[in-house]
């Protein structure tokens, strides 16, 4: 059963130095035609892959809030027209830049049933913000959160990044202190990953990017986990922390390895056992839709072995780990029957632990998660 829908807005007013998502500069782009193409993709996708009711909707990017109010209205109206959801029961998230959240846009989102905001903060250090290519300043975050609360948003998440070029542990501690003072119920904190085809990747190849060492980055992660716990935020996934009841249900769809729609240029979907990747370039996406097609450039039917592997490396991102009962219900085989040798090895390495109901990462395993995830791939 399809649980969620992701919609991709690839337009940005500025490209951040670390971003490798499918995105283009907003200026000169066929935004209206793109939104019309998204409408047709929604219509055709739901007709071909019906769902009784999606539990979560997430509009990401790019930068969804780069759209003007008229464009946002058009998109939001079509979401309600084509996606099967109950307004008062769906978790409806929109990603936002702090300096693009006017009161008018916030009211537009609220009136259309959006009930969760994910605000890209990254850091509260204005020097670091400029260094990573962000266009907002710390004061914009305060203004955005204050206005969002005034409009009626209670479910607000902010994103932080640590391990930034030249960042120190002390600067991270200051970032966390400011984050806690905002009094929002959800905080994501990710380590910086240098991806190909980004400004930072090119700088790194030229030896012009000064990053914290692996030990310093690990210390930042340890500090983040400690501070979150002290301030009442429960770590429910490797990089995500929430007050009780404010966990991201949309992201849990991914980590629980459930089905979801993916609409828009470069979007991914997982429906009826098939993983699809949409074509990335905006104009090529529009062309395929105008030809009456769905915009898939990659389709992969996931076999049972791959599904079991995915269940492990996605599920182990959750702090509770992988449920033995859920694994059995999905695959009609016990977790230890399939992966017993790998689990035993990683337990001996101190990276996994086992309870009566779950297999999960240890504290040390959280620091070396990718090592554990890789251990479950291509196991004979």
């Amino acid at each position: 059963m399809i649980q969620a829908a992701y919609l991709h807005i690839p337009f940005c007013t500025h490209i951040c130095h670390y971003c490798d998502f499918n995105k283009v500069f907003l200026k000169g782009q066929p935004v209206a035609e793109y939104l019309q193409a998204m409408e047709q993709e929604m219509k055709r996708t739901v007709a071909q892959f019906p769902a009784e009711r999606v539990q979560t909707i997430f509009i990401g990017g790019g930068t969804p809030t780069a759209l003007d109010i008229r464009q946002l209205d058009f998109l939001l109206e079509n979401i309600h027209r084509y996606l099967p959801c109950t307004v008062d029961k769906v978790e409806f998230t929109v990603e936002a830049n702090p300096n693009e959240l006017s009161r008018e846009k916030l009211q537009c989102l609220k009136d259309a049933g959006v009930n969760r905001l994910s605000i890209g903060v990254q850091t509260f250090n204005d020097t670091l913000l400029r260094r990573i290519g962000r266009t907002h300043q710390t004061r914009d975050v305060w203004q955005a959160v204050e206005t969002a609360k005034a409009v009626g948003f209670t479910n607000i998440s902010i994103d932080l990044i640590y391990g930034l070029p030249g960042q120190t542990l002390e600067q991270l501690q200051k970032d966390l202190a400011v984050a806690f003072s905002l009094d929002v119920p959800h905080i994501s904190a990710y380590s910086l990953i240098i991806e190909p085809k980004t400004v930072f990747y090119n700088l790194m190849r030229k030896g012009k990017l000064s990053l914290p060492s692996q030990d310093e980055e690990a210390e930042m992660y340890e500090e983040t986990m400690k501070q979150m716990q002290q301030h009442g935020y429960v770590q429910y996934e490797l990089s995500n922390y929430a007050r009780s009841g404010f966990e991201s249900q949309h992201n849990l769809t991914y980590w629980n390895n459930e089905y979801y729609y993916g609409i828009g240029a470069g979007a991914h979907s997982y429906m009826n056992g098939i993983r699809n990747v949409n074509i990335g370039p905006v104009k090529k996406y529009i062309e395929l839709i105008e030809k009456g097609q769905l915009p898939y450039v990659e389709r992969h039917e996931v076999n049972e072995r791959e599904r079991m592997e995915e269940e492990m490396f996605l599920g182990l991102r959750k702090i509770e780990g992988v449920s033995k009962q859920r694994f059995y219900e999905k695959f009609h085989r016990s977790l230890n029957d399939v992966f017993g040798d790998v689990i035993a090895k990683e337990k001996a390495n101190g990276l996994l632990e086992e309870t009566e109901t779950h297999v999960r990462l240890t504290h040390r395993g959280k620091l070396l998660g990718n090592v554990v995830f890789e251990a479950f791939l291509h196991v004979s």
Side-chain angles (χ1 to χ4, degrees), residues 29-39 282 285-286 289-290:
Q29 292 295 327
V31 179
E33 292 87 346
Y34 179 79
L35 295 176
Q36 290 163 3
M38 288 185 74
E39 175 186 9
V282 169
Y285 169 81
I286 294 171
I289 296 294
E290 288 178 342

Side-chain angles (χ1 to χ4, degrees), residues 213-337:
S213 68
Q214 286 188 338
D215 287 346
E216 288 171 325
E217 188 175 303
E219 190 177 10
M220 290 179 182
Y221 186 33
E222 295 263 21
E223 181 69 14
T224 299
M225 288 190 284
K226 182 183 78 172
Q227 291 273 357
M228 291 288 181
Q229 183 177 27
Q230 289 176 354
H231 287 83
Y233 291 83
V234 175
Q235 184 181 24
Y236 68 100
E237 190 269 346
L238 289 179
S239 303
N240 286 270
Y241 309 81
R243 292 174 181 159
S244 180
F246 287 93
E247 299 84 359
S248 170
Q249 297 306 307
H250 183 84
N251 286 339
L252 282 166
T253 299
Y254 301 145
W255 302 321
N256 287 329
N257 204 19
E258 302 289 356
Y259 292 156
Y260 55 90
Y261 294 124
I263 306 295
H268 294 222
S269 60
Y270 185 29
M271 303 175 295
N272 299 359
I274 298 173
R275 292 195 180 274
N276 305 291
V277 180
N278 285 4
I279 195 165
V282 169
K283 291 183 179 178
K284 291 186 179 296
Y285 169 81
I286 294 171
E287 287 172 7
L288 284 182
I289 296 294
E290 288 178 342
K291 290 177 182 177
Q293 303 176 27
L294 285 171
Y296 306 147
V297 288
E298 292 180 34
R299 301 195 73 187
H300 176 68
E301 188 167 349
V302 185
N303 63 42
E304 184 174 67
R305 186 68 199 189
E306 290 169 328
R307 287 174 57 218
M308 290 190 289
E309 290 173 356
E310 290 175 352
E311 193 76 12
M312 297 307 297
F313 70 72
L314 291 170
L316 283 171
R317 291 195 62 88
K318 298 180 295 180
I319 300 307
E320 72 175 11
V322 176
S323 164
K324 297 177 184 179
Q325 179 179 344
R326 184 182 178 87
F327 189 94
Y328 184 82
E329 289 170 353
K330 278 191 171 185
F331 305 110
H332 308 293
R333 295 178 66 183
S334 77
L335 183 55
N336 277 293
D337 176 45

Side-chain angles (χ1 to χ4, degrees), residues 50-63:
E52 183 176 334
R53 182 166 65 91
V54 294
Q55 310 290 327
T56 72
I57 299 169
F58 194 107
I59 307 177
T63 315

Side-chain angles (χ1 to χ4, degrees), residues 335-348:
L335 183 55
N336 277 293
D337 176 45
V338 180
F339 292 115
D341 289 347
V342 181
I343 292 170
K345 179 182 176 183
E346 298 308 325
K347 283 170 65 177

Side-chain angles (χ1 to χ4, degrees), residues 8-13 26 30-32 34-35 38 59-60 62-76 94-95 100-102 105 108-109:
H8 190 72
I9 303 299
F11 309 115
C12 293
T13 55
L26 176 65
V31 179
Y34 179 79
L35 295 176
M38 288 185 74
I59 307 177
T63 315
T65 48
L67 301 179
D68 63 33
I69 289 178
R70 178 178 53 82
Q71 293 161 345
L72 281 171
D73 272 333
F74 181 83
L75 173 63
L76 294 163
V94 172
E95 283 185 338
E100 293 174 343
L101 275 181
S102 66
K105 281 188 183 179
C108 169
L109 297 174

